[in-house]
Amino acid sequence: MGESGVSHETSVRVLFSRFYLVSHPQCLEDDPRLKWGPDEELAVSAGDGIGLNSVTSEHTAHVTLVVFGSATDVPADVRSGEPRYWFTSTTRRIALTDAEGSTALVVPAPASGRIACAVECRGRDETVAARHHDHRDDIHGLERWRITVWPDTAPSSGSVRR
């Protein structure tokens, strides 16, 4: 996967203010934290995936997923940033899905086992304004997510969100 990682860009429907990065789409039912985790967090780690909390519902978010094959290849500012999330890859692939299980993207996982994630989101204020103040129904790409994943070789620490 190289020193720069592999970048994948896509759009995902946001329903019920949430979408997911999971080891396999069927795992949405496996851990209730994925569907009903804390809304005040940007994301929630739960077993085979992470739930990503959008600022609103009924729109399409732009997602850049960057996959690194090794933790040493991840830029230090991304690797050491807060908060970090994690999930367990059991299928050697990861999928970006909406709340109804429709798949927006499937890519090879960087490894099987524990996967570390750094998550950031921009455009949240603009998305709220378009949806709730302008009452737009055709919101596409205002909320922009960047999710960076890599094999987690470090022992669990207090900096990883669960």
Side-chain angles (χ1 to χ4, degrees):
M1 291 192 190
E3 294 176 12
S4 63
V6 177
S7 182
H8 307 273
E9 305 225 9
T10 193
S11 295
V12 63
R13 290 183 321 153
V14 178
L15 305 169
F16 311 108
S17 298
R18 186 166 275 185
F19 64 99
Y20 308 91
L21 182 66
V22 294
S23 179
H24 51 92
Q26 298 79 16
C27 80
L28 291 180
E29 301 300 326
D30 292 350
D31 193 323
R33 290 175 298 173
L34 273 178
K35 283 202 167 190
W36 311 115
D39 289 333
E40 65 276 0
E41 298 286 339
L42 194 58
V44 60
S45 297
D48 287 344
I50 60 172
L52 297 129
N53 294 320
S54 175
V55 71
T56 189
S57 190
E58 308 297 324
H59 69 98
T60 302
H62 179 268
V63 178
T64 301
L65 175 64
V66 183
V67 181
F68 285 91
S70 167
T72 58
D73 292 338
V74 179
D77 62 323
V78 173
R79 194 173 58 245
S80 64
E82 297 284 338
R84 271 196 21 217
Y85 303 93
W86 64 270
F87 67 96
T88 302
S89 171
T90 56
T91 63
R92 295 287 299 178
R93 63 189 175 112
I94 51 180
L96 191 66
T97 68
D98 69 18
E100 294 179 339
S102 295
T103 303
L105 178 70
V106 177
V107 299
S112 61
R114 191 172 159 113
I115 304 296
C117 308
V119 177
E120 63 182 88
C121 183
R122 296 190 175 149
R124 292 170 76 83
D125 292 340
E126 295 89 340
T127 304
V128 167
R131 181 81 177 125
H132 299 285
H133 302 296
D134 299 340
H135 304 288
R136 288 179 41 202
D137 291 326
D138 61 340
I139 303 167
H140 297 281
L142 287 181
E143 194 173 61
R144 296 171 308 282
W145 293 78
R146 181 176 178 89
I147 306 165
T148 305
V149 299
W150 65 92
D152 187 11
T153 56
S156 298
S157 72
S159 67
V160 177
R161 298 284 187 129
R162 294 178 192 243

PDB file of all heavy atoms in Angstrom, residues 8-12 21 63-65 94-97 102-107:
ATOM      1  N   HIS A   8      -9.363   6.441  -1.382  1.00  0.00           N
ATOM      2  CA  HIS A   8     -10.603   6.102  -2.071  1.00  0.00           C
ATOM      3  C   HIS A   8     -11.602   7.222  -1.791  1.00  0.00           C
ATOM      4  O   HIS A   8     -11.766   7.614  -0.637  1.00  0.00           O
ATOM      5  CB  HIS A   8     -11.173   4.783  -1.553  1.00  0.00           C
ATOM      6  CG  HIS A   8     -10.201   3.652  -1.592  1.00  0.00           C
ATOM      7  ND1 HIS A   8     -10.027   2.866  -2.692  1.00  0.00           N
ATOM      8  CD2 HIS A   8      -9.345   3.192  -0.645  1.00  0.00           C
ATOM      9  CE1 HIS A   8      -9.110   1.950  -2.436  1.00  0.00           C
ATOM     10  NE2 HIS A   8      -8.679   2.129  -1.203  1.00  0.00           N
ATOM     11  N   GLU A   9     -12.271   7.711  -2.818  1.00  0.00           N
ATOM     12  CA  GLU A   9     -13.263   8.776  -2.641  1.00  0.00           C
ATOM     13  C   GLU A   9     -14.624   8.267  -3.076  1.00  0.00           C
ATOM     14  O   GLU A   9     -14.737   7.573  -4.093  1.00  0.00           O
ATOM     15  CB  GLU A   9     -12.882  10.005  -3.458  1.00  0.00           C
ATOM     16  CG  GLU A   9     -11.491  10.478  -3.114  1.00  0.00           C
ATOM     17  CD  GLU A   9     -11.386  11.960  -2.927  1.00  0.00           C
ATOM     18  OE1 GLU A   9     -12.418  12.645  -2.899  1.00  0.00           O
ATOM     19  OE2 GLU A   9     -10.252  12.421  -2.803  1.00  0.00           O
ATOM     20  N   THR A  10     -15.650   8.609  -2.310  1.00  0.00           N
ATOM     21  CA  THR A  10     -17.007   8.187  -2.631  1.00  0.00           C
ATOM     22  C   THR A  10     -18.002   9.098  -1.936  1.00  0.00           C
ATOM     23  O   THR A  10     -17.628   9.975  -1.161  1.00  0.00           O
ATOM     24  CB  THR A  10     -17.236   6.713  -2.226  1.00  0.00           C
ATOM     25  OG1 THR A  10     -18.452   6.252  -2.811  1.00  0.00           O
ATOM     26  CG2 THR A  10     -17.287   6.546  -0.714  1.00  0.00           C
ATOM     27  N   SER A  11     -19.251   8.856  -2.213  1.00  0.00           N
ATOM     28  CA  SER A  11     -20.348   9.526  -1.522  1.00  0.00           C
ATOM     29  C   SER A  11     -21.167   8.459  -0.824  1.00  0.00           C
ATOM     30  O   SER A  11     -21.279   7.333  -1.320  1.00  0.00           O
ATOM     31  CB  SER A  11     -21.242  10.270  -2.516  1.00  0.00           C
ATOM     32  OG  SER A  11     -20.513  11.304  -3.126  1.00  0.00           O
ATOM     33  N   VAL A  12     -21.746   8.809   0.312  1.00  0.00           N
ATOM     34  CA  VAL A  12     -22.582   7.868   1.060  1.00  0.00           C
ATOM     35  C   VAL A  12     -23.833   8.595   1.535  1.00  0.00           C
ATOM     36  O   VAL A  12     -23.764   9.757   1.955  1.00  0.00           O
ATOM     37  CB  VAL A  12     -21.812   7.233   2.237  1.00  0.00           C
ATOM     38  CG1 VAL A  12     -21.393   8.263   3.266  1.00  0.00           C
ATOM     39  CG2 VAL A  12     -22.605   6.113   2.881  1.00  0.00           C
ATOM     40  N   LEU A  21     -18.426   2.430   8.786  1.00  0.00           N
ATOM     41  CA  LEU A  21     -17.283   1.754   8.199  1.00  0.00           C
ATOM     42  C   LEU A  21     -17.170   0.440   8.951  1.00  0.00           C
ATOM     43  O   LEU A  21     -16.949   0.441  10.171  1.00  0.00           O
ATOM     44  CB  LEU A  21     -16.004   2.577   8.339  1.00  0.00           C
ATOM     45  CG  LEU A  21     -14.761   1.968   7.707  1.00  0.00           C
ATOM     46  CD1 LEU A  21     -14.901   1.903   6.185  1.00  0.00           C
ATOM     47  CD2 LEU A  21     -13.523   2.758   8.080  1.00  0.00           C
ATOM     48  N   VAL A  63     -16.890  11.225   1.281  1.00  0.00           N
ATOM     49  CA  VAL A  63     -15.961  10.508   2.157  1.00  0.00           C
ATOM     50  C   VAL A  63     -14.681  10.198   1.404  1.00  0.00           C
ATOM     51  O   VAL A  63     -14.714   9.672   0.293  1.00  0.00           O
ATOM     52  CB  VAL A  63     -16.577   9.193   2.685  1.00  0.00           C
ATOM     53  CG1 VAL A  63     -15.577   8.446   3.563  1.00  0.00           C
ATOM     54  CG2 VAL A  63     -17.866   9.458   3.446  1.00  0.00           C
ATOM     55  N   THR A  64     -13.557  10.534   2.032  1.00  0.00           N
ATOM     56  CA  THR A  64     -12.246  10.095   1.565  1.00  0.00           C
ATOM     57  C   THR A  64     -11.748   9.076   2.580  1.00  0.00           C
ATOM     58  O   THR A  64     -11.614   9.394   3.763  1.00  0.00           O
ATOM     59  CB  THR A  64     -11.255  11.266   1.471  1.00  0.00           C
ATOM     60  OG1 THR A  64     -11.781  12.247   0.575  1.00  0.00           O
ATOM     61  CG2 THR A  64      -9.896  10.798   0.972  1.00  0.00           C
ATOM     62  N   LEU A  65     -11.532   7.851   2.118  1.00  0.00           N
ATOM     63  CA  LEU A  65     -11.018   6.774   2.963  1.00  0.00           C
ATOM     64  C   LEU A  65      -9.582   6.515   2.538  1.00  0.00           C
ATOM     65  O   LEU A  65      -9.326   6.194   1.374  1.00  0.00           O
ATOM     66  CB  LEU A  65     -11.867   5.510   2.794  1.00  0.00           C
ATOM     67  CG  LEU A  65     -11.382   4.263   3.526  1.00  0.00           C
ATOM     68  CD1 LEU A  65     -11.415   4.477   5.041  1.00  0.00           C
ATOM     69  CD2 LEU A  65     -12.232   3.066   3.128  1.00  0.00           C
ATOM     70  N   ILE A  94     -13.151  -4.002   4.083  1.00  0.00           N
ATOM     71  CA  ILE A  94     -13.941  -3.056   4.854  1.00  0.00           C
ATOM     72  C   ILE A  94     -14.920  -2.367   3.910  1.00  0.00           C
ATOM     73  O   ILE A  94     -14.628  -2.174   2.730  1.00  0.00           O
ATOM     74  CB  ILE A  94     -13.060  -2.033   5.616  1.00  0.00           C
ATOM     75  CG1 ILE A  94     -12.029  -1.362   4.703  1.00  0.00           C
ATOM     76  CG2 ILE A  94     -12.383  -2.696   6.798  1.00  0.00           C
ATOM     77  CD1 ILE A  94     -11.154  -0.348   5.395  1.00  0.00           C
ATOM     78  N   ALA A  95     -16.079  -2.038   4.452  1.00  0.00           N
ATOM     79  CA  ALA A  95     -17.149  -1.468   3.628  1.00  0.00           C
ATOM     80  C   ALA A  95     -17.670  -0.196   4.266  1.00  0.00           C
ATOM     81  O   ALA A  95     -17.805  -0.106   5.492  1.00  0.00           O
ATOM     82  CB  ALA A  95     -18.286  -2.480   3.482  1.00  0.00           C
ATOM     83  N   LEU A  96     -17.978   0.775   3.429  1.00  0.00           N
ATOM     84  CA  LEU A  96     -18.647   1.999   3.843  1.00  0.00           C
ATOM     85  C   LEU A  96     -20.115   1.824   3.477  1.00  0.00           C
ATOM     86  O   LEU A  96     -20.437   1.583   2.310  1.00  0.00           O
ATOM     87  CB  LEU A  96     -18.035   3.188   3.111  1.00  0.00           C
ATOM     88  CG  LEU A  96     -18.420   4.571   3.591  1.00  0.00           C
ATOM     89  CD1 LEU A  96     -17.889   4.818   4.997  1.00  0.00           C
ATOM     90  CD2 LEU A  96     -17.875   5.615   2.637  1.00  0.00           C
ATOM     91  N   THR A  97     -21.000   1.890   4.470  1.00  0.00           N
ATOM     92  CA  THR A  97     -22.421   1.620   4.222  1.00  0.00           C
ATOM     93  C   THR A  97     -23.295   2.693   4.850  1.00  0.00           C
ATOM     94  O   THR A  97     -22.889   3.382   5.788  1.00  0.00           O
ATOM     95  CB  THR A  97     -22.856   0.260   4.805  1.00  0.00           C
ATOM     96  OG1 THR A  97     -22.817   0.329   6.228  1.00  0.00           O
ATOM     97  CG2 THR A  97     -21.964  -0.862   4.333  1.00  0.00           C
ATOM     98  N   SER A 102     -26.919  -0.327   2.578  1.00  0.00           N
ATOM     99  CA  SER A 102     -26.483  -0.164   1.187  1.00  0.00           C
ATOM    100  C   SER A 102     -25.007   0.205   1.170  1.00  0.00           C
ATOM    101  O   SER A 102     -24.578   1.112   1.893  1.00  0.00           O
ATOM    102  CB  SER A 102     -27.286   0.925   0.482  1.00  0.00           C
ATOM    103  OG  SER A 102     -28.629   0.548   0.364  1.00  0.00           O
ATOM    104  N   THR A 103     -24.249  -0.482   0.366  1.00  0.00           N
ATOM    105  CA  THR A 103     -22.801  -0.310   0.348  1.00  0.00           C
ATOM    106  C   THR A 103     -22.386   0.762  -0.650  1.00  0.00           C
ATOM    107  O   THR A 103     -22.748   0.711  -1.820  1.00  0.00           O
ATOM    108  CB  THR A 103     -22.119  -1.648   0.002  1.00  0.00           C
ATOM    109  OG1 THR A 103     -22.542  -2.628   0.963  1.00  0.00           O
ATOM    110  CG2 THR A 103     -20.621  -1.531   0.032  1.00  0.00           C
ATOM    111  N   ALA A 104     -21.606   1.730  -0.174  1.00  0.00           N
ATOM    112  CA  ALA A 104     -21.078   2.794  -1.029  1.00  0.00           C
ATOM    113  C   ALA A 104     -19.680   2.461  -1.540  1.00  0.00           C
ATOM    114  O   ALA A 104     -19.278   2.930  -2.594  1.00  0.00           O
ATOM    115  CB  ALA A 104     -21.047   4.114  -0.266  1.00  0.00           C
ATOM    116  N   LEU A 105     -18.932   1.643  -0.770  1.00  0.00           N
ATOM    117  CA  LEU A 105     -17.544   1.355  -1.122  1.00  0.00           C
ATOM    118  C   LEU A 105     -17.106   0.103  -0.382  1.00  0.00           C
ATOM    119  O   LEU A 105     -17.429  -0.068   0.799  1.00  0.00           O
ATOM    120  CB  LEU A 105     -16.660   2.545  -0.705  1.00  0.00           C
ATOM    121  CG  LEU A 105     -15.157   2.448  -0.925  1.00  0.00           C
ATOM    122  CD1 LEU A 105     -14.836   2.498  -2.419  1.00  0.00           C
ATOM    123  CD2 LEU A 105     -14.439   3.582  -0.195  1.00  0.00           C
ATOM    124  N   VAL A 106     -16.378  -0.776  -1.058  1.00  0.00           N
ATOM    125  CA  VAL A 106     -15.736  -1.934  -0.424  1.00  0.00           C
ATOM    126  C   VAL A 106     -14.286  -1.934  -0.881  1.00  0.00           C
ATOM    127  O   VAL A 106     -14.010  -1.846  -2.080  1.00  0.00           O
ATOM    128  CB  VAL A 106     -16.413  -3.265  -0.808  1.00  0.00           C
ATOM    129  CG1 VAL A 106     -15.673  -4.444  -0.179  1.00  0.00           C
ATOM    130  CG2 VAL A 106     -17.876  -3.278  -0.400  1.00  0.00           C
ATOM    131  N   VAL A 107     -13.357  -2.010   0.084  1.00  0.00           N
ATOM    132  CA  VAL A 107     -11.926  -2.014  -0.233  1.00  0.00           C
ATOM    133  C   VAL A 107     -11.239  -3.076   0.611  1.00  0.00           C
ATOM    134  O   VAL A 107     -11.770  -3.487   1.651  1.00  0.00           O
ATOM    135  CB  VAL A 107     -11.278  -0.628   0.020  1.00  0.00           C
ATOM    136  CG1 VAL A 107     -11.919   0.449  -0.843  1.00  0.00           C
ATOM    137  CG2 VAL A 107     -11.327  -0.257   1.484  1.00  0.00           C
TER     138      VAL A 107
END
